[in-house]
Amino acid sequence: MKRTTLPHLRVRPDPLDRRRGTLIAGPVLIPCALGKGGQTRTKREGDGASPCGTFRLRGGFYRPDRLGTRPPTGLPLRRIRPDDGWCDDPRDRRYNRPIPLPAPGTSAERLWRDDGLYDLVIDLDYNRGPIRRGRGSAIFLHVARPGFRPTEGCVALRRPDLVRLLRRLGPGTRLTI
């Protein structure tokens, strides 16, 4: 049986709680968490909202100590290391890019987390080219918190759902929020 890559994923917000939604992957509906600020067309750093738009999947990262081998996918993935971070400081020239930690004097999100949210993370290509300072950073598809508690602006799925979905993703896949 030949596997096909999904060309498009859509996120439909829950009309009763805009911090939750459904990711539509072909005929499959997957519950997801969204930003604590709902969705916005005018994303700003720290607003907690998920940006509206269509985004390509740039690739991502995985925790080898928690997932074992590299999950099967058509996307480029690299192992997360304990010193991996993501710059969320609009004053820094490395804003919205991966950086090594520690990064004295710079605000950065740690990718090697104890809570498991970034055991598997996909960069959604939001504000990545050109990068506009202060317009939001580290917008990912990642593992959800228990109970689908809201994110800081990302889209989050249960880990087993994300691992299964990853098999159907490739460089041509787009995600619309």
Side-chain angles (χ1 to χ4, degrees):
M1 179 168 86
K2 181 180 177 184
R3 274 193 228 171
T4 58
T5 301
L6 292 167
H8 197 238
L9 307 171
R10 286 184 301 127
V11 173
R12 182 180 62 211
D14 182 322
L16 301 177
D17 184 353
R18 296 192 50 85
R19 301 169 305 165
R20 295 180 98 177
T22 303
L23 186 138
I24 303 164
V28 178
L29 305 178
I30 305 169
C32 64
L34 299 171
K36 64 184 177 186
Q39 297 81 52
T40 185
R41 295 196 184 283
T42 56
K43 175 88 180 123
R44 298 283 180 235
E45 188 67 44
D47 65 4
S50 297
C52 293
T54 298
F55 312 105
R56 71 186 183 106
L57 309 180
R58 292 181 64 105
F61 309 92
Y62 72 99
R63 283 274 303 255
D65 62 320
R66 297 216 176 127
L67 291 176
T69 61
R70 179 188 182 277
T73 184
L75 294 172
L77 288 183
R78 89 165 174 78
R79 296 170 179 226
I80 295 175
R81 297 178 306 255
D83 65 342
D84 283 335
W86 197 277
C87 182
D88 58 11
D89 188 340
R91 300 165 300 155
D92 194 285
R93 64 180 174 75
R94 301 168 295 178
Y95 178 66
N96 201 24
R97 292 183 180 95
I99 63 171
L101 297 176
T106 298
S107 175
E109 192 163 350
R110 180 171 296 283
L111 296 180
W112 187 277
R113 296 173 61 125
D114 293 332
D115 61 12
L117 296 185
Y118 288 174
D119 285 359
L120 184 55
V121 59
I122 304 300
D123 179 1
L124 292 185
D125 198 35
Y126 172 76
N127 192 24
R128 298 277 282 136
I131 293 174
R132 297 164 309 209
R133 293 178 186 211
R135 294 295 297 271
S137 64
I139 303 298
F140 301 137
L141 178 61
H142 65 73
V143 177
R145 289 181 173 92
F148 292 103
R149 290 194 317 266
T151 69
E152 296 298 318
C154 299
V155 176
L157 307 175
R158 283 185 290 245
R159 184 169 138 176
D161 291 337
L162 184 52
V163 169
R164 267 193 309 279
L165 179 64
L166 201 57
R167 295 171 191 230
R168 300 286 311 275
L169 305 181
T173 305
R174 301 292 184 261
L175 180 134
T176 298
I177 301 173

